Amino acid sequence: MKLLNSNNSKDNKNNMQIYSIQSLTKYAADLDGESVYHVSHIKDGILVIGNESKGISPAVMSQVNNRITIPQKGKAESLNAAVAAGIILSHVV
Amino acid sequence: MKLLNSNNSKDNKNNMQIYSIQSLTKYAADLDGESVYHVSHIKDGILVIGNESKGISPAVMSQVNNRITIPQKGKAESLNAAVAAGIILSHVV
């Protein structure tokens, strides 16, 4: 998400990257979102994975367009971040 | 897989567990199997996940009924074992 906050207007290449990223849909892994089993195929986008215990900061979440949830069976507190990323990507990419 | 090799015939409880496990279908994560996207829902079974570099030993693989593959996009050598397990379980359970 670093490039989204860049203010280096002299760097055209950077600005193009910023524009490119801003035009992409941002998805976030979240406990309160659309089931990953129902999310349509995603061609382009950014997937934000938060800290297992603290989740995604409000500042970052405010940039997110769609929240994706991995439905849980059992009572595990949360999934490891890398496992959650792998599961979501395997369903939507 | 330890219980599969148990020979403790005096332990009835153990034998029941052995029987129970032997009656289950064994699945293995493998590079040469059925796509995880096409595997039907699994109600009961054992999923074997091998070492990322060495895979599953021939002795264990000989006990496996079905091999499941996570199709790869890109050229990563292999998935982390926990990520592979999470992906497979999210698709078949």
Side-chain angles (χ1 to χ4, degrees), chain B residues 15-33:
Chain B
N15 279 343
M16 286 181 67
Q17 289 179 314
I18 293 168
Y19 179 79
S20 172
I21 288 177
Q22 287 180 333
S23 69
L24 293 171
T25 304
K26 289 95 184 170
Y27 301 84
D30 191 63
L31 293 177
D32 185 24

Side-chain angles (χ1 to χ4, degrees), chain A residues 37 41 70 73 80 82-83 85-87 89-91 93, chain B residues 37 41 70 73 80 82-83 85-87 89-91 93:
Chain A
Y37 299 117
H41 172 84
I70 301 170
K73 299 183 180 183
N80 169 276
V83 174
I87 290 173
L89 291 174
S90 80
H91 284 273
V93 173
Chain B
Y37 299 118
H41 172 84
I70 301 171
K73 299 184 180 184
N80 168 276
V83 174
I87 290 173
L89 292 173
S90 80
H91 284 272
V93 173

Side-chain angles (χ1 to χ4, degrees), chain A residues 14-90:
Chain A
N14 241 11
N15 279 343
M16 286 181 66
Q17 288 179 314
I18 293 169
Y19 179 79
S20 172
I21 289 177
Q22 287 180 332
S23 69
L24 292 171
T25 304
K26 289 96 185 169
Y27 301 84
D30 190 63
L31 293 176
D32 185 24
E34 183 181 3
S35 167
V36 71
Y37 299 117
H38 302 144
V39 175
S40 300
H41 172 84
I42 297 170
K43 188 177 177 188
D44 293 307
I46 295 171
L47 175 62
V48 182
I49 303 288
N51 179 289
E52 283 105 338
S53 56
K54 296 179 181 175
I56 296 168
S57 72
V60 172
M61 194 62 99
S62 70
Q63 304 294 317
V64 166
N65 309 108
N66 295 78
R67 300 180 186 204
I68 300 175
T69 296
I70 301 170
Q72 284 189 269
K73 299 183 180 183
K75 296 181 178 180
E77 188 184 343
S78 71
L79 283 169
N80 169 276
V83 174
I87 290 173
I88 292 175
L89 291 174
S90 80

Side-chain angles (χ1 to χ4, degrees), chain B residues 31-73:
Chain B
L31 293 177
D32 185 24
E34 183 181 3
S35 167
V36 71
Y37 299 118
H38 301 142
V39 175
S40 300
H41 172 84
I42 298 170
K43 187 178 177 188
D44 292 307
I46 295 173
L47 175 62
V48 182
I49 303 288
N51 179 289
E52 283 105 337
S53 57
K54 296 179 181 174
I56 296 167
S57 73
V60 173
M61 194 62 97
S62 70
Q63 304 294 317
V64 166
N65 309 107
N66 295 79
R67 300 180 186 205
I68 299 175
T69 295
I70 301 171
Q72 283 190 272
K73 299 184 180 184

